[in-house]
Amino acid sequence: MPEREQKRRPAPSERAPREEAPVTAPGKQGEKLKEELDDLLDEIDSVLEDNAEEFVRSYVQKGGQ
Amino acid sequence: MAIPKVCGIETEYGVVWRGAPESSPVTASSLLINGYVEHRKVGWDFDAESPGRDARGFARDESAPPEVETHLVNTVLTNGARYYVDHAHPEYSTPECSDALELVAADKAGERILARSMKAVRRLIEADQEIVVYKNNSDGKGNSYGCHENYLVDRSVPFPALVQTLLPFFVTRQVFTGSGKVGSENGAAPVGFQLSPRADFFEEEVGLETTLKRPIVNTRDEPHADPQKYRRLHVIVGDANLCEVATFLKVGTTAIVLAMIEDGFIDKDLSVVDPVRAMRTVSHDPTCRATVGLADGGTATAVEIQWEFLRLAAKYADETGLEACGGETVGADVLRRWEQVLTGLESDPGALDGQLDWVTKKALIDSYAARGGLEPLDPTLALLDLQYHDVRPERSLYEKLVRAGRVERLVDEATVTAAITEPPATTRAYFRGRCLSRWSDSVVATNWDSMILDVGSEPLRRIPMMEPLKGTREHVEQLFEECASPAELVARLAS
């Protein structure tokens, strides 16, 4: 169960200005984001079911509502 | 004044029994529920069920009534929810909630209950087997299963008035409610990725069916409340969402639109031409730029039509208030987020990664495909789609994204955990849940609008609960504290 997520309450005011991302050097930020994404995709690779084709083919459900 | 939009969500989960020589989804679903429910299972009382009743005022005659599978596992939990087997799927119906935020927690609690069930069921099956559930809506092979919403609506509103406004609203709300799907189904034109896994399955504008020839507006007329005063609008057009913002907006915006219809506030005809076709047109276009025909002869994008609804809603909030749909806190937040999401969809849908399911899923699939140089039809992309909805925390790609801090949450985990066992305080679910947690041995059966208690002497007592907003914590907490037995409770209620 996820335990590290941030609790983000809705902002109280309906007219609150939207928060913009803080300004940082675009190159550095881009690199950092790419690194994070690569790490995430690696992590996803580690939990993906084996043999995608067979797995997807065998996922068959009875129709419901 | 519009009546309070009491609401709930029922979700049929996809289910797989891996490693079993002959895997029956009905048995797998039953095992999941039996594995989870440790206290004595309290049965469901079917006496008051009438899924064949039509809101347009006639009982169906040409086809058989929907099958009500009374012999299947069917129970009620201390949080006031119903957990049961329906159409070969485990189904979780949240307790009645009084606003969209409360319902986000109740719906997320359902996912946790299914996750706990998968763990608990291990002791009931062979060690090399596993039962896995997915919170999705289709198997990619033409079989779909639903995630339905329910809203309390004033009986005095003519049904055609609901239909007229809901058709364009449902066709266009997919831009934020869609949970995303790789490919198309059910004879729809080929597409790489679409907004809603359910869109291809809608074939009628209005009707009673839920399992074939599905209608955009469902006419099932089973109020589960005082039938003189209320309707329960049964919405079958939605997707099973994982993103809390998507669930929040799906429920929150629909509640406001219903309140506006009730108050006769919608002075504009927003009807679209051929809603069934428009449903697919909108879903099949992840750029959100496709247009649909309007009744007045013009055309508009789904986002533009949603802006019209939002403009009306903002005016409604100013003039009438949002008391019926979440009040000044939740209702106002719905308006704020609605605006933010439409703004995002208009300029760059990708900006809503982490808020809307279809955008989040698409961003994940696109990044994955780009990194591996995968073609759009690569089966790995379909696997990503499927596994996004895997309810096991260690396998769910959605949960991976949450843990990576890439998804916005609206409720904290402590609130979700509480909603696994505690009923909402603000509806009759509180009474139901408290009866269950205090005296489950005395509860013979229950359904949405009544409970049958065995008070130790003949006859069994049925407690009617025809008012969804009676039996709240405020009403009955003290009563529960003062009563030592169900017999005492029944006596006090009668006095």
Side-chain angles (χ1 to χ4, degrees), chain B residues 74-357:
Chain B
N74 207 317
T75 192
V76 62
L77 308 178
T78 58
N79 65 357
R82 181 185 180 193
Y83 190 20
Y84 56 120
V85 182
D86 196 16
H87 295 94
H89 298 271
E91 175 155 346
Y92 180 80
S93 288
T94 68
E96 304 89 329
C97 296
S98 57
D99 66 48
L101 192 61
E102 200 170 56
L103 187 46
V104 166
D107 182 62
K108 196 51 81 177
E111 294 169 29
R112 304 291 184 256
I113 285 169
L114 267 297
R116 289 183 180 191
S117 301
M118 284 188 279
K119 267 193 181 168
V121 81
R122 285 183 198 153
R123 63 190 157 79
L124 304 178
I125 57 178
E126 302 290 327
D128 58 350
Q129 298 177 357
E130 189 177 17
I131 297 177
V132 182
V133 301
Y134 296 83
K135 193 189 186 193
N136 62 2
N137 294 108
S138 93
D139 64 0
K141 295 156 195 80
N143 301 307
S144 183
Y145 31 101
C147 175
H148 300 173
E149 305 138 63
N150 297 290
Y151 302 89
L152 192 70
V153 173
D154 192 327
R155 171 66 61 176
S156 67
V157 177
F159 203 76
L162 289 168
V163 172
Q164 188 188 8
T165 299
L166 289 177
L167 278 172
F169 181 68
F170 286 160
V171 164
T172 54
R173 74 171 194 171
Q174 299 177 78
V175 293
F176 52 82
T177 64
S179 70
K181 175 164 83 176
V182 170
S184 61
E185 281 175 279
N186 201 30
V191 61
F193 187 91
Q194 61 173 313
L195 308 191
S196 165
R198 287 281 276 178
D200 291 342
F201 292 95
F202 287 86
E203 300 172 40
E204 304 281 346
E205 292 177 18
V206 186
L208 188 56
E209 297 285 355
T210 54
T211 57
L212 42 103
K213 284 192 180 291
R214 294 179 182 85
I216 297 170
V217 176
N218 183 248
T219 55
R220 181 179 296 179
D221 189 5
E222 247 190 320
H224 295 318
D226 184 344
Q228 306 296 318
K229 291 165 73 176
Y230 304 120
R231 280 183 195 290
R232 170 185 62 118
L233 184 74
H234 187 230
V235 177
I236 69 168
V237 80
D239 296 345
N241 292 110
L242 290 154
C243 284
E244 294 172 8
V245 173
T247 302
F248 182 72
L249 279 174
K250 173 172 76 177
V251 176
T253 61
T254 306
I256 294 175
V257 167
L258 289 171
M260 290 197 290
I261 299 171
E262 262 175 40
D263 283 334
F265 196 82
I266 296 182
D267 53 2
K268 229 178 152 172
D269 184 5
L270 296 168
S271 299
V272 299
V273 175
D274 194 349
V276 172
R277 199 166 139 195
M279 189 93 197
R280 290 188 184 185
T281 305
V282 171
S283 182
H284 285 207
D285 174 37
T287 70
C288 298
R289 300 223 168 104
T291 57
V292 297
L294 298 173
D296 68 8
T299 61
T301 66
V303 175
E304 284 165 349
I305 295 171
Q306 281 294 317
W307 275 119
E308 288 294 328
F309 278 108
L310 175 58
R311 267 181 215 116
L312 284 164
K315 190 161 166 259
Y316 178 74
D318 283 345
E319 293 178 14
T320 312
L322 295 173
E323 220 171 297
C325 24
E328 293 315 310
T329 317
V330 172
D333 195 44
V334 170
L335 289 185
R336 189 180 67 82
R337 288 180 177 277
W338 196 356
E339 180 177 347
Q340 185 207 335
V341 156
L342 294 184
T343 306
L345 288 169
E346 216 165 38
S347 50
D348 170 23
L352 301 165
D353 183 3
Q355 293 190 304
L356 304 183
D357 281 303

